[in-house]
Amino acid sequence: MTTEQAFWTLLRAGLWQQAPQGFDAPPSKERWETLMQMAKEQTLQGVLYDGMCLLPTDMQPEQALRMKWFWGVNKIEQTNRLINRVLVEFVEKLEAEGIRPLLLKGQANAMLYPQPLHRQCGDIDLFIGRKDYPKACELVRTWGMSGDDDEESLKHLHCAWQGVTIELHRVAAIFPWPATQRVFLHWSEDELLHSTQTFVPATEEKSIGIASIEFNVLFVFYHMYHHFVYGGVGLRQLCDSARWLHTYSEQLDREQLHGWLQRLGLMYPWKVFGTLLVQKLGLAEEEFPCYEAQEKKAERVWRVIEREGNFGQYSGKKKPDKGSFVWLKFKRFLYNSARFPMVMRLFPKHALLSYGFFIMDRGKLFIDHFRKK
């Protein structure tokens, strides 16, 4: 078994809680270290750890490596507990002011995993909507949670509380074509008004509002695809999508989902990434709506994800974010420009639209920044 085969085997084992097959001999220390690094680059340390724990004891790594892995996963658990607590407290503060947000991805995704606290977490994304967005921004500034205005974009405002980054979304997502954006905007704000779907974060008791199953399935996919086009994405986002489709395979309204994919122009990339979910991650083919294998294109997409790692952080071209606002945005512009030919070969229509929108968006940010100065 090659190192890559071992990686996929352990990932599928942790993702679906099935005993890993094919390990005829225990991997060497060097191979285990490589597997741990691969998991780190894809932000899947916890899921791969769960897969490793399903191996017979004599196939697992030596104690020193096992303990190193264990403490890394323990840190992920602690961070998840913190984010769950902050999420509940922050939502309660907003609700006390008459604002009912919907949680986007994040901890709602984590609850779909066999071990929710082992999904590596990021920040908290709360969809506020255009109506309540100004009020919510004013509240977080009053509460002393936000930084300067450079932390606000067309989509959301960044703020921080108790060491956790929170993004308040005026819009759930941005599509590069105005007509498509209007369609998605109408759907997302209808969800904000009418969704009755909730979940309870692990270690907490309060229910948090989320959008419908159909919206979440499409949104989690589009978030993944959007980041692939704009700068890189990790396997964790593919795992999130697979867990949504698996968990809600019977409740999902496939006809409604098909309609939204068509209206938003996402059917082709949906099929490409679906090929990875089925053939690489092991999602059952019948659980993926509109499945149509696109093996050659999917393999090329996987090689990009493998090379770049989580959000492109391991590409060798995307350096740590240090410097002024203008310099960071300029570096991001250069990085995405360098990736454009590769994305163009994979998804030409979306690449052209997205890159054009990206140039306009960066231009607006620069102009707004210098006006404030």
Side-chain angles (χ1 to χ4, degrees):
M1 180 181 288
T2 66
T3 301
E4 183 173 326
Q5 289 171 335
F7 174 82
W8 287 114
T9 300
L10 292 173
L11 176 56
R12 288 191 290 266
L15 192 61
W16 310 116
Q17 284 295 283
Q18 298 173 352
Q21 304 295 322
F23 282 81
D24 299 323
S28 65
K29 178 183 177 182
E30 292 72 22
R31 178 165 288 187
W32 276 118
E33 289 174 338
T34 300
L35 288 167
M36 291 168 67
Q37 179 60 29
M38 291 171 70
K40 178 182 178 182
E41 291 179 2
Q42 301 296 337
T43 57
L44 288 170
Q45 297 99 309
V47 180
L48 228 71
Y49 175 83
D50 293 337
M52 178 274 293
C53 289
L54 293 172
L55 284 170
T57 305
D58 60 350
M59 291 289 178
Q60 295 180 10
E62 61 184 43
Q63 186 176 11
L65 277 179
R66 206 162 57 241
M67 290 305 297
K68 179 181 178 182
W69 208 342
F70 168 81
W71 286 115
V73 174
N74 183 261
K75 186 176 179 180
I76 294 172
E77 289 184 0
Q78 292 175 7
T79 305
N80 270 306
R81 293 177 191 276
L82 169 64
I83 289 182
N84 287 338
R85 177 173 57 79
V86 170
L87 169 63
V88 166
E89 293 176 2
F90 190 79
V91 168
E92 286 177 339
K93 288 174 73 69
L94 288 177
E95 289 178 342
E97 299 291 340
I99 298 174
R100 177 187 175 269
L102 295 180
L103 180 69
L104 301 172
K105 54 193 178 66
Q107 301 310 95
N109 294 347
M111 287 304 298
L112 306 178
Y113 282 71
Q115 299 288 343
L117 295 179
H118 288 184
R119 178 191 179 270
Q120 192 157 336
C121 46
D123 50 18
I124 295 172
D125 292 82
L126 293 172
F127 179 38
I128 306 296
R130 292 175 296 174
K131 179 176 177 289
D132 287 330
Y133 179 78
K135 179 180 177 181
C137 290
E138 185 59 34
L139 284 170
V140 299
R141 291 182 177 116
T142 301
W143 297 334
M145 297 179 185
S146 68
D148 56 39
D149 289 339
D150 289 341
E151 297 184 7
E152 188 170 11
S153 69
L154 292 172
K155 186 166 63 172
H156 49 53
L157 173 77
H158 285 259
C159 60
W161 190 37
Q162 300 184 43
V164 175
T165 299
I166 301 171
E167 293 182 350
L168 302 180
H169 286 249
R170 106 179 76 200
V171 294
I174 292 179
F175 285 74
W177 192 248
T180 308
Q181 179 63 22
R182 285 193 295 271
V183 170
F184 180 78
L185 192 61
H186 176 78
W187 184 27
S188 60
E189 296 205 334
D190 186 68
E191 289 283 331
L192 190 61
L193 290 173
H194 300 116
S195 175
T196 58
Q197 195 87 10
T198 62
F199 86 107
V200 179
T203 71
E204 300 295 327
E205 297 179 357
K206 177 181 171 58
S207 294
I208 303 294
I210 58 175
S212 66
I213 295 169
E214 292 73 27
F215 183 91
N216 270 297
V217 165
L218 190 142
F219 176 79
V220 168
F221 160 73
Y222 180 67
H223 174 260
M224 167 182 67
Y225 175 60
H226 170 84
H227 277 288
F228 178 84
V229 170
Y230 271 90
V233 73
L235 275 178
R236 181 187 62 180
Q237 285 71 40
L238 275 76
C239 291
D240 290 343
S241 190
R243 288 302 314 180
W244 270 101
L245 288 163
H246 172 73
T247 304
Y248 293 106
S249 61
E250 295 184 2
Q251 297 98 311
L252 179 64
D253 186 329
R254 294 176 174 233
E255 185 176 345
Q256 184 187 147
L257 177 65
H258 180 273
W260 285 115
L261 287 167
Q262 292 281 26
R263 271 174 273 181
L264 296 172
L266 294 173
M267 187 59 77
Y268 180 64
W270 170 263
K271 291 177 179 179
V272 172
F273 279 86
T275 306
L276 290 176
L277 266 58
V278 171
Q279 298 191 6
K280 294 287 190 182
L281 292 183
L283 178 71
E285 184 176 323
E286 59 271 18
E287 292 181 343
F288 190 88
C290 311
Y291 182 73
E292 184 180 318
Q294 306 287 329
E295 294 177 358
K296 290 183 179 179
K297 189 65 66 74
E299 183 64 22
R300 290 168 63 189
V301 168
W302 156 239
R303 292 305 167 189
V304 174
I305 296 172
E306 178 188 38
R307 180 173 67 249
E308 295 182 336
N310 186 54
F311 293 132
Q313 294 175 4
Y314 295 88
S315 66
K317 298 176 182 178
K318 191 173 182 181
K319 303 301 181 184
D321 288 340
K322 295 179 181 179
S324 68
F325 166 80
V326 175
W327 175 239
L328 290 177
K329 297 301 181 185
F330 184 64
K331 284 201 300 182
R332 183 74 176 176
F333 173 77
L334 293 178
Y335 175 74
N336 279 288
S337 297
R339 290 181 82 252
F340 174 71
M342 176 272 295
V343 179
M344 182 71 184
R345 288 191 294 272
L346 292 170
F347 302 106
K349 177 183 174 182
H350 293 266
L352 283 171
L353 290 173
S354 297
Y355 192 67
F357 178 83
F358 179 72
I359 291 174
M360 290 188 293
D361 183 41
R362 295 302 96 168
K364 183 180 183 302
L365 282 173
F366 289 138
I367 291 169
D368 289 348
H369 174 77
F370 286 114
R371 278 178 177 171
K372 292 169 189 173
K373 297 297 182 182

